[in-house]
Amino acid sequence: MSDVAKALSFDQVVKDYGATRALHGLSFDIGEREFFTLLGPSGCGKTTLLRLIAGFESLTSGRIALQGEDVSTLAPAERPVNTVFQHYALFPHLSVHDNVGFGLKMLGWDDARSKRRVDDMLAMVKLSDFADRRPAQLSGGQQQRVALARAMAPEPRVLLLDEPLSALDLKLRQAMRSELKQLQQASGITFVFVTHDQEEALAMSDRIAVMAEGRVQQIGTPREIYDEPVNAFVADFIGQSNVLDVVRAGDGWSLLTSDYVLQAQGRPTGDAVRLSIRPEQLSLTVGHQTSDGWCGQVRHVSYLGSGSDIAVDIEHGPVLQVRLPAQDAVAVTVQPGDPVTVSANPGAARVLG
Amino acid sequence: MAGGVTSSGVVGDSFAAVRTRLLAPSWLVLLFFMFAPMVVMLIYSFLTKEFRGGVIWSFSLGAYDQFFLDRGLFGDEPPKIEWTYITIFLRSIWQALAATVLCLLIGFPTAYFIATRPVSQRTAWLFLITVPYWVNLLIRTVSMKFLIRDNGPLNEALLAIGLIDSPLALINTDFAVQLGLFYSYLPFMVLPLYASIERYDFTLSEAAADLYASRRAVLFRVVVPSVKPGLVAGCILVFVPSLGAFLAPDLLGGAKNFMIGSLIEEQFKGNAGNWPFGAAVSMILLTIVMLVLLVMARSRTRDVGSAA
Ligand SMILES: Nc1ncnc2c1ncn2[C@@H]1O[C@H](COP(=O)(O)OP(=O)(O)OP(=O)(O)O)[C@@H](O)[C@H]1O
Ligand SMILES: [Mg+2]
């Protein structure tokens, strides 16, 4: 990525809260016009990183550059970056119109220009009819859109969104996903989006940074992250994954306790590695055939509507999660306790780093 | 258990009846401690004065006449406007307003400071604010008098470090009264403001800063409007008692710096008193206070009404 195309770059970013280190030296870049997602479990430091970009917290060490310019020591008001807060933080005493126009007023835009911009923004989020209402008179979804319009009105270089959809119900959340993505593409603003919902991240992002315990685990496109997880954490956090400890056996890999040999993608280092296999890439046959797969007993079956999740206790081995399509003949008939054989589809297993 | 409910008799009563019964004690308290004394005041203000205190039960507008009109030394000249008492009122209103502004200027940062301490420390800070008020107001005002008098510790200290050559004349000035009022009523500003600021969502300040607001703009455009209920309550709680205060003006202000409170007090004390006049002054004061509260309440309902 060339220097011009970088919206944000992080250089050895460290943040301590007292004795606890929230971020352990992050270094990566976010491109112009990118929809970039920070994804990770609760407490991994997503909000902390966002607050560092916005300027609400100061860096312990390291550097943050915005379009090549060091902003590490600037106050929030001096950074051309705006935030959509998790609980919106709309000003309760101001109308929707004045909320959206707040940043413009502070920037000293003249009234006519500011009014045009606010009207455009409200039209963009389809709230033109609500301009005179107070935030308390709006539904959660409407408040969310006001927050978005307010943050986008001053034409920031980067928009920061901290779990903006988490307070909405499922249906609205899904509708807002595509709406957000369209707004981002139409406006050409770089979005840094925080979520702990992997489905949301996969659906919306150009690239995702998967974080855990204050460190970036992997950065890549949704497909890369899903298909080529670099470690067990990413494999398990994005979708679901079975992680197996295997040893070299002939031209493939096998569990120590089983004769079943399978091929794996990736670059193994040494003779003992960990493999990751997605539940939907495993198949199930009734009965035990030791050479065709791992033998075990069904532990439990959960019906999900679109399919079934089946947990299988492998003899002298781990519990494997298998996902079968709803109409699969085995999925319809298996019961807990049934003997089954689990096999991996070709190309399903990946070597983890 | 259906039987239990019916036998208790609750089901038979309407909600309104239950409410009336539950509110009865409050109504009685209000009636006895607020409404009745006010009616007594109102009636007394229209009675004839008895020398050596007390009243004669015959209707008279004399008290109000004395307040507003000047009929000369012997009461036989054509009436002019009497400025003596109006001046006292204006001075009192001015003093009370100044005390309110002073309390606000000092009280707001104090309340803000306490509300932004870690939760575990806040109670201790609030406790410190209230500690002086465990001592009787009279004692505290007298102490203040000793502190600021010509040969009191304050002047002595300033003389000792050579900042002044002769003692500052602090006692018996408007300044001294102001100091007394400020000191007496500061917590009434701090406590309601604290309650409001404590409930304030500080991410609003972050949102404003994020939207390019300066620190000043954050304070005046976001924080102050958000804590307005506490601010209005604090101002009322300081203004109203300051207006009727008599300890501070009496002890610190001396004879020149008379305020309404002292004027009223004087009418009911000893033999020089004039009960109907004291009652009339109280009624006029009450009217002013009611007007102020009404205006404040109007501004409150307007805010709440448009936000709801
Ligand atoms: N103000 C603070 N003081 C002390 N520790 C903090 C503070 N804010 C965050 N932390 C700690 O820093 C770590 C990262 O917190 P952060 O809020 O960034 O997590 P997050 O990834 O946003 O989690 P979530 O998904 O729950 O919002 C956590 O361990 C948290 O306890
Ligand atoms: Mg967070």
Side-chain angles (χ1 to χ4, degrees):
Chain A
M1 205 180 297
S2 78
D3 242 28
V4 227
K6 281 182 202 165
L8 277 168
S9 29
F10 304 94
D11 184 14
Q12 290 300 320
V13 167
V14 173
K15 177 65 187 175
D16 292 339
Y17 289 111
T20 52
R21 177 151 291 190
L23 297 175
H24 297 258
L26 309 186
S27 298
F28 62 96
D29 297 328
I30 296 176
E32 281 298 354
R33 296 168 172 262
E34 215 177 355
F35 195 120
F36 191 92
T37 298
L38 300 172
L39 174 65
S42 187
C44 71
K46 308 179 295 287
T47 299
T48 302
L49 185 57
L50 218 58
R51 292 174 62 79
L52 285 171
I53 303 172
F56 300 137
E57 305 280 353
S58 53
L59 287 164
T60 302
S61 69
R63 214 177 81 103
I64 296 177
L66 184 78
Q67 296 180 323
E69 186 193 336
D70 190 349
V71 294
S72 313
T73 56
L74 298 184
E78 295 165 331
R79 304 186 188 200
V81 165
N82 290 132
T83 308
V84 177
F85 291 84
Q86 181 164 5
H87 298 289
Y88 320 140
L90 298 176
F91 305 124
H93 58 288
L94 297 180
S95 68
V96 166
H97 181 282
D98 292 348
N99 261 283
V100 176
F102 188 91
L104 307 180
K105 190 168 205 163
M106 293 300 116
L107 285 172
W109 286 34
D110 67 63
D111 285 353
R113 179 162 170 241
S114 158
K115 169 134 184 32
R116 268 201 310 280
R117 178 74 180 158
V118 171
D119 289 343
D120 286 351
M121 286 292 115
L122 288 178
M124 175 188 84
V125 295
K126 305 187 189 83
L127 284 176
S128 301
D129 296 340
F130 296 81
D132 296 326
R133 293 224 194 154
R134 296 284 175 112
Q137 298 168 300
L138 299 178
S139 73
Q142 290 164 339
Q143 290 181 24
Q144 211 276 324
R145 302 216 295 271
V146 175
L148 194 64
R150 182 179 72 173
M152 287 177 77
E155 300 172 329
R157 315 257 185 85
V158 174
L159 192 72
L160 309 174
L161 304 99
D162 193 356
E163 312 207 18
L165 307 183
S166 63
L168 305 179
D169 65 49
L170 183 65
K171 263 273 180 311
L172 199 53
R173 198 153 70 219
Q174 285 171 342
M176 279 304 292
R177 273 184 204 165
S178 52
E179 223 172 292
L180 259 186
K181 180 76 186 173
Q182 280 165 14
L183 283 179
Q184 191 263 336
Q185 283 168 339
S187 64
I189 296 174
T190 307
F191 274 33
V192 181
F193 183 90
V194 162
T195 183
H196 59 243
D197 179 341
Q198 46 101 5
E199 206 181 302
E200 205 166 277
L202 293 175
M204 299 165 78
S205 320
D206 293 323
R207 286 196 306 154
I208 299 171
V210 183
M211 294 175 64
E213 292 170 355
R215 292 187 174 84
V216 170
Q217 305 294 317
Q218 184 172 6
I219 296 181
T221 63
R223 194 163 286 281
E224 283 166 359
I225 299 258
Y226 191 84
D227 289 346
E228 300 160 32
V230 295
N231 59 29
F233 175 82
V234 178
D236 196 47
F237 191 72
I238 308 292
Q240 251 187 328
S241 213
N242 296 295
V243 176
L244 305 176
D245 288 306
V246 293
V247 292
R248 200 179 284 280
D251 60 345
W253 304 90
S254 76
L255 287 177
L256 272 173
T257 54
S258 156
D259 298 336
Y260 178 54
V261 174
L262 76 166
Q263 307 300 317
Q265 317 239 352
R267 276 172 305 241
T269 51
D271 286 339
V273 296
R274 307 180 97 185
L275 300 182
S276 126
I277 309 176
R278 299 279 177 202
E280 66 271 22
Q281 303 201 310
L282 290 173
S283 313
L284 217 57
T285 47
V286 177
H288 283 172
Q289 291 92 29
T290 21
S291 57
D292 295 349
W294 299 292
C295 301
Q297 267 81 42
V298 172
R299 178 179 276 198
H300 62 79
V301 180
S302 24
Y303 176 66
L304 301 172
S306 60
S308 293
D309 267 355
I310 298 161
V312 180
D313 239 331
I314 301 301
E315 282 170 1
H316 318 294
V319 176
L320 293 181
Q321 293 292 335
V322 182
R323 161 120 5 126
L324 297 178
Q327 67 278 17
D328 188 285
V330 181
V332 177
T333 53
V334 283
Q335 298 290 329
D338 287 356
V340 287
T341 303
V342 181
S343 57
N345 301 349
R350 288 203 63 81
V351 178
L352 293 174
Chain B
M1 233 173 35
V5 172
T6 25
S7 65
S8 79
V10 173
V11 166
D13 287 358
S14 71
F15 175 70
V18 171
R19 192 173 58 179
T20 310
R21 231 183 306 145
L22 289 175
L23 280 177
S26 314
W27 280 116
L28 279 176
V29 167
L30 276 179
L31 193 74
F32 193 76
F33 289 106
M34 198 180 118
F35 196 63
M38 260 158 45
V39 170
V40 170
M41 263 325 180
L42 187 66
I43 294 173
Y44 269 46
S45 75
F46 288 107
L47 295 179
T48 308
K49 108 175 165 186
E50 157 94 86
F51 293 95
R52 348 184 109 249
V55 288
I56 300 169
W57 280 85
S58 74
F59 177 81
S60 161
L61 283 173
Y64 291 94
D65 189 285
Q66 181 185 348
F67 188 93
F68 289 109
L69 297 177
D70 175 8
R71 295 175 190 277
L73 197 54
F74 302 104
D76 50 2
E77 291 168 30
K80 296 192 301 264
I81 293 183
E82 169 68 270
W83 286 104
T84 315
Y85 304 118
I86 296 179
T87 310
I88 292 177
F89 261 71
L90 290 177
R91 183 166 52 234
S92 301
I93 290 172
W94 157 245
Q95 285 278 23
L97 276 178
T100 309
V101 171
L102 203 61
C103 283
L104 187 59
L105 288 180
I106 305 291
F108 191 94
T110 310
Y112 193 92
F113 174 84
I114 299 175
T116 48
R117 290 314 91 194
V119 181
S120 55
Q121 292 176 17
R122 290 183 198 163
T123 322
W125 284 106
L126 285 177
F127 179 73
L128 286 180
I129 291 284
T130 52
V131 161
Y133 298 85
W134 295 43
V135 176
N136 182 289
L137 178 62
L138 178 65
I139 311 264
R140 276 183 289 128
T141 312
V142 171
S143 316
M144 183 66 73
K145 182 178 179 141
F146 278 94
L147 281 175
I148 63 171
R149 66 187 171 166
D150 290 358
N151 53 354
L154 182 67
N155 270 315
E156 296 284 329
L158 288 176
L159 282 169
I161 59 171
L163 218 59
I164 50 173
D165 296 328
S166 56
L168 293 175
L170 295 173
I171 198 76
N172 298 342
T173 60
D174 276 351
F175 171 79
V177 177
Q178 195 46 238
L179 193 69
L181 291 178
F182 163 74
Y183 173 61
S184 305
Y185 300 118
L186 182 61
F188 295 138
M189 182 64 84
V190 173
L191 295 178
L193 265 177
Y194 165 78
S196 266
I197 298 174
E198 205 231 321
R199 266 178 293 146
Y200 171 69
D201 173 9
F202 282 89
T203 44
L204 293 182
S205 292
E206 286 186 347
D210 187 58
L211 292 162
Y212 314 108
S214 62
R215 292 171 65 105
R216 228 186 124 79
V218 172
L219 179 63
F220 288 107
R221 288 178 184 276
V222 180
V223 181
V224 168
S226 301
V227 303
K228 202 173 158 203
L231 206 128
V232 171
C235 288
I236 291 175
L237 287 179
V238 173
F239 181 78
V240 171
S242 295
L243 194 58
F246 65 89
L247 274 182
D250 258 15
L251 294 172
L252 302 170
K256 298 201 310 299
N257 302 287
F258 224 57
M259 280 175 63
I260 306 174
S262 326
L263 180 64
I264 297 173
E265 186 207 8
E266 205 171 58
Q267 307 311 318
F268 294 99
K269 225 168 57 177
N271 290 341
N274 178 342
W275 287 18
F277 184 63
V281 175
S282 303
M283 289 318 293
I284 295 166
L285 177 62
L286 184 67
T287 310
I288 293 176
V289 168
M290 292 303 243
L291 284 177
V292 170
L293 291 183
L294 212 68
V295 170
M296 297 272 200
R298 281 292 263 284
S299 85
R300 280 287 290 286
T301 37
R302 202 172 53 232
D303 280 4
V304 173
S306 46

